[in-house]
Amino acid sequence: MLSSDLLGPQWNCPLGSKDLEDKEGLWGGGSGRPPPDYFSGSWRLDVGLDCKGSPEGAEARAWTTYYYSLLQSCLRQAGLPETQDRSQEPRTGCPGAEVTLCILGSPSTFLSVLLEGGVQSPGNMLLCLSPAWLTKVPAPGRPGEAALLVSKAVSFHPGGLTFLDDFVPPRQATYFLVGLGPGPGQGREAAELARDLTCPTGASAELARLLEDRLLTRHLLVQKGGVAVPATLAFTYKPPTLLQGGDASPGLRLVELSGKEGQEALVKEEVGAFLHSEALGDALQVAIKLSGWRWRGRQALRLFPRTEVGTVADTVVALLEKLEEEESVLVEAVCPPARLPFPGNAPPGPELAMRICAVVCRTQGDRPLLSKVVCAVGRGDRPLRHQNSLPRTLEVVLAQCGLGEAAQVAVVRQSVKAASEAALAAVLALEAGLSAEQRGGRLACTDFLGVDFALTVAGGTLIPVALELNTGLCLEACGALEGLWAAPRWGTATREAAAATPLVETMLRRSARCLMEGKQLLVIGAGGVGKKFVWEAARDYGLKLHLVESDPNHFASQLVQTFIHFDVTEHRKDEENARLLAELVRARGLQLDGCFSYWDDCLVLTALLCQELGLPCSPPAAMRLAKQKSRTQLHLLCCHGPPWPAPSLHAVPCCPLESEADVERAVCQVPLPGVMKLEFGAGAVGVRLVEDALQCHQHFSQIAHDLQGEADHPGIGLGWGNSMLLMEFIEGTEHDVDLVLFGGRLLAAFVSDNGPTRLPGFTETAACMPTGLAPEQEAQLVQAAFRCCLGCGLLDGVFNVELKMTKAGPRLIEINPRMGGFYLRDWILELYGVDLLLAAAMVACGLQPALPAHPRASGHIVGVTGLVSQHLQVLSSTASQETLQALHDQGLLRFNQFISLEEAQVTGEYEEPYCSVACAGPSPAEARLRLLGLCQGLGIDGPHYPVAHFLSHFK
């Protein structure tokens, strides 16, 4: 027996006659003391729950103590230690300069989020047990908005460790989530705390009021999401604007009433038509309930046989008297349990019914993602309710009901995924059309949603029918299921990712935006077409950029707060230029929070300028060391440790080349075949495989003749000179590792695979992300890249490290002491929801990037590069920039343009890739097949550019 109110505490009891306006508070707020303490277990209660400067009354203090005991009970049941009281030694921090994720709500509801937050952002996930622990203060420069300060909280750390902390000065919240569902507590205070904050909020009273209107959400799910809901007849009195416009579907009938009295004839006619309609399907019963935010969790369910038209109509008429404006009386079908065929004989006993509970989260790009599904099963003739049924996995419940085949279970799971994600998408679309006042604040939006489903049969197909939207109930059910594996037990069990993982990632992502909004950053070097995303992202994040650039007519000069025209191409004068630029910055009165560059040529100059201005950055010496390829290798070859493994294990023998005599000496020292490249080069321009001494001399002479200065090939580092190096050629697969470091600690790493190059050149042909390597090999690459960066003194920043995985382990190709180029930032953002550009900007401001501890890829991307020498004809016809961009906008491929078509006309030895064309898929094989088909259709694949061969490394 399934209906949305089967989740309430009562069943089939008469509605009380007392009106709700006589009761206290919104969302069950604050009436009476908490229930008697019935938590089993013993823990200390002589802890510092009082908040200095915000005394609580006896009733409020009783609730604070109740929630503290509830937290201890939850921790104990999960096999975690008791909270330690550190309130006598206040924590100090940097208000407004550190991530602070704050939750005000029931510990049992949010335990999954709190524990996950303790893992992903140790010490920054805070639980407030009382509104008195929080304070709102007016925000400077933000009329009508307030900052939220945290004076006391329980902080969460890895391993489930928790501490009761005081904060002096108070921490400033960068994200706030408040439990606004029905239940005890100070609801009015919580609602007011969440309203009009400068930090992002994952819930508000205004949004909760919309989501708790059953008729509105049901209308929304059908009309905007295409989600199946129970057949419903609604009698509404003066419906809200969002509901006006007629029926959403034949199964959802909306009857607008002009008044609450004298409606008997209309009600009887509508009820009779509804109960005899085909929309009810096989339903034998209907439920009658009131809809509207006032009634959430405060009424009982009334069930009637479908055949009792008169009784149903009379009940509706009686309930009409209780309606206020924008409220409704609903008559809805009670979904019958799905009758699943049991293999063999059905087990004895009553028919079983199930409820499916899905948690879906908002992720990068406002995309919904199903996080976890849990189920409950019980007798078909009795209600299934949250907190009164054991949470189980979908597979176990379906097997109990007779559906055990993996393929069938996968179909059900996919249908639940599609419906739950469509539900959140519909809610997000609704919120996007609301004003800040209607949402409860400029940064208020729904970041996660619980959707309760019944599983029914329609046309021989199992269909999930959405009964209700909620937040805390489904999240709590998922946390209870995860709790089964939390405490140590006999036997083995594999722990799935927590339901709250994507939610915490969203909290961190929105916190980063909060911390960086309005920051003033100086950018050195604008880059080309391939860096257009920088200016778009800066506008999206609210960054205030100031630009130093050599080209006075650069398109980015019109997109920044301040444009400083300055020649940054002569790098032998970097020290002098840094001093001059510092004087210009001071003369213009720029109040900078940070300074950074993503352009190879400007990295050393940027470090020197930061040193002049006293801004955070890696030391200039470290940047110089990483910038010059032979110095990098020779330095790391001398780093033997400790600690071990030492960076020397990953370095490759090489020799710098300044003259023909150096070449002669190098061929005697470096085993051949080898690789010759420019010391300060970029984009693999001039990189060549050399087999013998003759080829070494020939290639050195050719480079010395063709590439003498910046004008010969702008943007590849010739402003540093055209000296070269010869290094040993390493056999193995090539990989990129993009790292985020802060204070010498590794915060994140992303590994991608590169396809075979077209020897003797090394221009990139293909790439795949995430890596297809075994986890051990992936970890070896990450640690090798990390150790090499530390060995060079690179402690803070976003770095790109190119390595080869050999039979003996990772070997270093080179370190690029800046964010990865080409498509890497775009792919990492798409797959992991992590923006390397924002991370680099945060490090430049001295802020630790707010990143998930263990980001998981949402899929796979495989791509190939386009070269003008191979694709000029198709790039002007079937694969033109306009065509590729249109396909990108349609989601059929990913198109990243690196340089303009005019710049790409340099072909042959010194050619740079023009673009990347990629496809995404749930598996590498599917992404690869999609890409191959597109390349064949667009003409990118051909005898002289065999895409299938380039992709063969990714099988």
Side-chain angles (χ1 to χ4, degrees):
M1 181 182 296
L2 290 162
S3 180
S4 57
D5 263 333
L6 298 180
L7 313 178
Q10 295 176 310
W11 174 51
N12 209 20
C13 298
L15 285 161
S17 59
K18 186 176 181 181
D19 291 334
L20 283 182
E21 54 266 28
D22 295 333
K23 298 188 179 181
E24 171 70 25
L26 296 172
W27 302 283
S31 58
R33 291 178 175 270
D37 187 6
Y38 57 85
F39 303 113
S40 58
S42 58
W43 43 79
R44 294 186 60 180
L45 290 176
D46 57 336
V47 294
L49 296 179
D50 290 324
C51 186
K52 296 177 182 178
S54 299
E56 293 181 300
E59 185 177 302
R61 174 59 192 266
W63 278 110
T64 304
T65 304
Y66 169 84
Y67 282 130
Y68 183 80
S69 292
L70 176 57
L71 171 63
Q72 302 314 307
S73 178
C74 291
L75 292 173
R76 181 152 299 184
Q77 289 186 38
L80 300 173
E82 180 180 343
T83 299
Q84 299 179 40
D85 185 3
R86 301 192 301 193
S87 59
Q88 299 306 312
E89 300 176 359
R91 308 288 106 185
T92 57
C94 305
E98 57 191 346
V99 170
T100 301
L101 312 176
C102 179
I103 291 179
L104 173 63
S106 169
S108 61
T109 298
F110 293 107
L111 187 64
S112 174
V113 184
L114 295 163
L115 294 175
E116 182 67 18
V119 172
Q120 293 203 37
S121 191
N124 297 324
M125 176 60 81
L126 307 180
L127 170 65
C128 288
L129 300 174
S130 168
W133 295 6
L134 295 157
T135 310
K136 286 175 75 172
V137 296
R142 291 281 186 187
E145 293 187 357
L148 186 67
L149 304 182
V150 187
S151 298
K152 178 186 284 289
V154 177
S155 61
F156 283 72
H157 299 258
L161 295 179
T162 56
F163 300 92
L164 180 62
D165 289 323
D166 279 12
F167 303 105
V168 179
R171 292 183 67 158
Q172 184 171 330
T174 58
Y175 184 95
F176 186 50
L177 181 60
V178 60
L180 288 168
Q186 296 83 3
R188 289 186 184 276
E189 295 176 69
E192 181 54 40
L193 282 170
R195 185 173 290 116
D196 293 324
L197 295 177
T198 55
C199 72
T201 57
S204 71
E206 288 75 8
L207 293 178
R209 179 169 180 164
L210 294 177
L211 293 180
E212 289 168 2
D213 187 326
R214 202 175 270 107
L215 177 58
L216 174 61
T217 55
R218 198 160 288 183
H219 177 88
L220 181 68
L221 292 182
V222 174
Q223 191 176 63
K224 301 294 186 183
V227 179
V229 300
T232 304
L233 172 64
F235 296 93
T236 181
Y237 177 57
K238 295 184 179 180
T241 304
L242 294 173
L243 268 177
Q244 294 173 5
D247 294 349
S249 76
L252 186 59
R253 170 72 173 156
L254 180 63
V255 180
E256 297 186 20
L257 302 176
S258 58
K260 295 184 287 185
E261 298 178 355
Q263 304 292 337
E264 291 83 359
L266 175 61
V267 168
K268 187 171 184 178
E269 178 185 352
E270 291 287 350
V271 168
F274 177 71
L275 296 183
H276 291 97
S277 69
E278 295 181 357
L280 272 69
D282 297 331
L284 300 177
Q285 290 180 303
V286 293
I288 302 177
K289 62 196 69 173
L290 290 159
S291 174
W293 67 274
R294 286 195 314 141
W295 301 100
R296 184 65 165 212
R298 314 190 74 168
Q299 61 169 312
L301 172 66
R302 294 188 140 199
L303 300 178
F304 297 93
R306 178 178 175 180
T307 55
E308 296 183 2
V309 176
T311 306
V312 171
D314 292 342
T315 304
V316 170
V317 170
L319 291 177
L320 291 180
E321 299 176 2
K322 296 182 175 292
L323 294 186
E324 293 184 357
E325 291 185 12
E326 303 187 355
E327 295 181 343
S328 310
V329 178
L330 305 185
V331 182
E332 70 172 39
V334 176
C335 300
R339 293 174 173 82
L340 303 178
F342 241 99
N345 296 324
E351 188 175 43
L352 296 179
M354 72 178 75
R355 185 191 70 241
I356 299 175
C357 171
V359 171
V360 57
C361 302
R362 187 169 71 95
T363 62
Q364 170 67 29
D366 292 339
R367 286 174 294 191
L369 174 68
L370 177 66
S371 174
K372 181 156 288 190
V373 176
V374 299
C375 298
V377 64
R379 292 172 57 117
D381 58 347
R382 294 181 181 177
L384 284 172
R385 302 193 297 262
H386 279 289
Q387 301 174 337
N388 281 343
S389 55
L390 291 175
R392 306 181 189 186
T393 63
L394 179 66
E395 290 74 13
V396 167
V397 169
L398 289 178
Q400 286 181 323
C401 295
L403 199 70
E405 292 186 15
Q408 295 173 318
V409 173
V411 170
V412 174
R413 180 176 287 275
Q414 181 56 39
S415 63
V416 171
K417 174 180 171 65
S420 57
E421 291 178 353
L424 180 55
V427 170
L428 297 180
L430 170 69
E431 294 178 1
L434 301 177
S435 66
E437 183 180 2
Q438 289 173 312
R439 293 195 308 273
R442 177 175 56 93
L443 299 177
C445 66
T446 298
D447 282 335
F448 76 103
L449 198 64
V451 189
D452 277 298
F453 293 100
L455 195 61
T456 63
V457 177
T461 303
L462 288 171
I463 302 293
V465 177
L467 301 175
E468 182 179 48
L469 303 184
N470 63 73
T471 50
L473 290 174
C474 283
L475 188 63
E476 188 171 35
C478 290
L481 180 65
E482 293 164 8
L484 293 175
W485 317 114
R489 288 173 173 83
W490 297 110
T492 58
T494 57
R495 183 183 181 274
E496 295 183 354
T501 296
L503 173 58
V504 174
E505 291 174 357
T506 295
M507 291 176 166
L508 291 171
R509 192 178 301 114
R510 297 187 69 192
S511 287
R513 284 175 169 268
C514 176
L515 288 170
M516 291 300 291
E517 186 179 17
K519 286 288 189 288
Q520 307 274 344
L521 287 121
L522 185 66
V523 177
I524 312 299
V529 173
K531 304 301 181 187
K532 270 188 173 181
F533 66 84
V534 172
W535 320 109
E536 298 165 359
R539 182 174 61 252
D540 181 40
Y541 292 132
L543 304 179
K544 309 297 183 183
L545 296 189
H546 310 271
L547 174 62
V548 176
E549 167 57 38
S550 304
D551 180 4
N553 300 314
H554 197 285
F555 70 87
S557 64
Q558 305 301 313
L559 304 176
V560 292
Q561 304 291 312
T562 306
F563 179 72
I564 300 176
H565 175 225
F566 192 95
D567 184 7
V568 296
T569 59
E570 183 48 71
H571 299 293
R572 295 179 182 89
K573 298 181 179 179
D574 273 349
E575 288 84 355
E576 178 185 346
N577 288 340
R579 289 191 292 271
L580 293 174
L581 277 173
E583 292 174 7
L584 283 174
V585 167
R586 295 187 187 105
R588 293 194 179 217
L590 300 183
Q591 302 296 316
L592 299 176
D593 297 295
C595 172
F596 76 115
S597 180
Y598 44 78
W599 197 240
D600 276 296
D601 279 6
C602 300
L603 298 174
V604 174
L605 173 61
T606 300
L608 290 165
L609 179 57
C610 287
Q611 186 173 265
E612 288 284 336
L613 296 173
L615 295 172
C617 189
S618 287
M623 283 293 189
R624 284 197 179 96
L625 188 59
K627 179 62 185 168
Q628 188 171 356
K629 296 176 175 59
S630 65
R631 285 191 62 199
T632 304
Q633 299 283 7
L634 295 173
H635 172 78
L636 292 177
L637 281 170
C638 298
C639 295
H640 300 293
W644 186 87
S648 59
L649 291 174
H650 311 298
V652 177
C654 66
C655 280
L657 307 175
E658 296 278 354
S659 64
E660 291 284 355
D662 291 336
V663 176
E664 192 66 37
R665 184 182 69 255
V667 296
C668 298
Q669 297 179 2
V670 177
L672 297 178
V675 177
M676 290 186 71
K677 60 172 72 174
L678 289 164
E679 277 277 25
F680 304 97
V685 175
V687 183
R688 188 176 181 85
L689 179 71
V690 286
E691 302 280 355
D692 51 37
L694 178 59
Q695 289 185 4
C696 292
H697 283 284
Q698 289 175 340
H699 191 55
F700 181 83
S701 299
Q702 185 178 357
I703 293 292
H705 178 269
D706 295 345
L707 302 177
Q708 297 183 14
E710 183 72 13
D712 294 325
H713 202 312
I716 64 163
L718 292 174
W720 292 87
N722 66 346
S723 57
M724 302 186 72
L725 74 150
L726 174 66
M727 63 186 297
E728 182 182 349
F729 175 68
I730 303 299
E731 292 282 358
T733 56
E734 188 173 335
H735 307 270
D736 279 66
V737 182
D738 289 273
L739 304 171
V740 181
L741 272 64
F742 188 78
R745 290 183 293 117
L746 177 63
L747 300 186
F750 307 93
V751 182
S752 56
D753 303 339
N754 293 332
T757 59
R758 300 167 67 232
L759 297 175
F762 285 88
T763 302
E764 185 175 311
T765 60
C768 176
M769 181 180 279
T771 178
L773 293 174
E776 179 180 334
Q777 292 178 304
E778 180 182 14
Q780 288 176 346
L781 281 172
V782 169
Q783 285 302 310
F786 180 39
R787 284 192 287 267
C788 288
C789 285
L790 294 183
C792 290
L794 298 172
L795 306 181
D796 297 276
V798 177
F799 308 119
N800 171 260
V801 184
E802 300 175 28
L803 304 108
K804 276 195 171 181
M805 175 56 75
T806 72
K807 293 180 179 179
R811 304 296 296 277
L812 177 67
I813 299 175
E814 64 189 45
I815 298 174
N816 299 305
R818 42 79 181 157
M819 175 179 66
F822 289 169
Y823 47 80
L824 285 169
R825 180 260 181 181
D826 176 58
W827 285 17
I828 291 169
L829 181 59
E830 174 68 18
L831 290 174
Y832 297 95
V834 172
D835 192 344
L836 294 184
L837 174 65
L838 184 60
M842 293 188 75
V843 174
C845 293
L847 302 177
Q848 178 172 324
L851 302 177
H854 306 289
R856 299 171 300 162
S858 60
H860 298 262
I861 297 179
V862 178
V864 294
T865 54
L867 302 174
V868 169
S869 63
Q870 303 298 317
H871 303 121
L872 181 59
Q873 183 176 352
V874 298
L875 290 173
S876 304
S877 55
T878 54
S880 66
Q881 178 184 340
E882 294 75 19
T883 300
L884 294 175
Q885 187 62 53
L887 292 171
H888 174 96
D889 294 340
Q890 296 170 37
L892 298 176
L893 55 75
R894 302 198 68 80
F895 171 57
N896 294 96
Q897 185 180 355
F898 308 146
I899 54 178
S900 68
L901 200 54
E902 293 74 23
E903 293 174 303
Q905 298 298 322
V906 180
T907 59
E909 290 269 351
Y910 311 126
E911 181 175 22
E912 292 182 83
Y914 164 67
C915 69
S916 167
V917 176
C919 285
S923 68
E926 189 164 337
R928 189 173 63 247
L929 288 174
R930 289 179 184 175
L931 178 62
L932 184 57
L934 271 169
C935 288
Q936 291 170 345
L938 293 170
I940 296 173
D941 181 41
H944 300 290
Y945 203 79
V947 171
H949 168 65
F950 298 146
L951 302 182
S952 63
H953 277 43
F954 308 140
K955 290 184 178 179

